[in-house]
C-alpha cells in the first residue's frame, strides 16, 4: 500500500521533510499535543528548527547563522519541545 499524504499537511511536509517521521513517532508514543492550533504548531516547529540549528553550531561546529524565528511574546517552549530538539540533535 502506498503512503497517503493529505493535501492539508503537504505544506508542512514540503517545509520540513522530517515532520512526517516526527508525527509518526509522536503518534506511536501516544503523545498528546492537546488543543494546539495550526499557528501554535508552526511556532513550535519554527522554534525547534532554530534551537536545533543553534545547538548544532555551538556543540558540533556546524557553520551558519540561523535566522531568528518570528514568534509571539507569549510563546514558551515546553519540555516536549526541548526533548524533540534534543532527540533531533542527538
Amino acid at each position: 500500500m502506498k503512503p497517503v499524504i493529505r493535501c492539508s499537511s503537504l505544506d508542512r511536509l514540503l517545509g520540513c521533510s522530517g515532520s512526517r517521521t516526527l508525527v509518526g513517532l509522536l503518534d506511536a508514543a501516544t503523545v498528546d499535543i492537546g488543543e494546539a492550533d495550526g499557528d501554535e504548531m508552526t511556532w513550535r516547529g519554527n522554534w525547534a528548527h532554530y534551537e536545533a540549528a543553534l545547538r548544532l553550531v555551538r556543540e558540533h561546529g556546524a557553520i551558519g547563522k540561523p535566522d531568528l524565528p518570528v514568534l509571539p511574546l507569549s510563546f514558551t517552549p515546553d519540555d516536549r519541545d526541548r526533548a524533540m530538539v534534543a532527540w533531533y540533535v542527538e
Side-chain angles (χ1 to χ4, degrees):
M1 179 176 210
K2 292 184 179 182
V4 175
I5 299 172
R6 300 178 59 91
C7 289
S8 61
S9 64
L10 189 57
D11 61 335
R12 180 184 65 203
L13 183 59
L14 292 173
C16 176
S17 59
S19 66
R20 186 175 174 120
T21 301
L22 289 173
V23 167
L25 290 172
L26 291 174
D27 288 344
T30 63
V31 173
D32 179 18
I33 60 171
E35 297 296 320
D37 62 15
D39 287 342
E40 183 177 348
M41 294 310 291
T42 298
W43 300 329
R44 291 184 183 289
N46 290 346
W47 176 86
H49 278 251
Y50 175 73
E51 187 65 20
L54 279 180
R55 285 191 55 188
L56 290 169
V57 168
R58 289 181 191 150
E59 299 171 19
H60 299 281
I63 298 171
K65 183 177 181 229
D67 294 328
L68 186 64
V70 177
L71 302 170
L73 293 175
S74 62
F75 174 77
T76 304
D78 62 19
D79 290 340
R80 283 180 310 212
D81 301 324
R82 289 182 182 85
M84 197 164 312
V85 169
W87 176 81
Y88 171 75
V89 171
E90 294 304 315

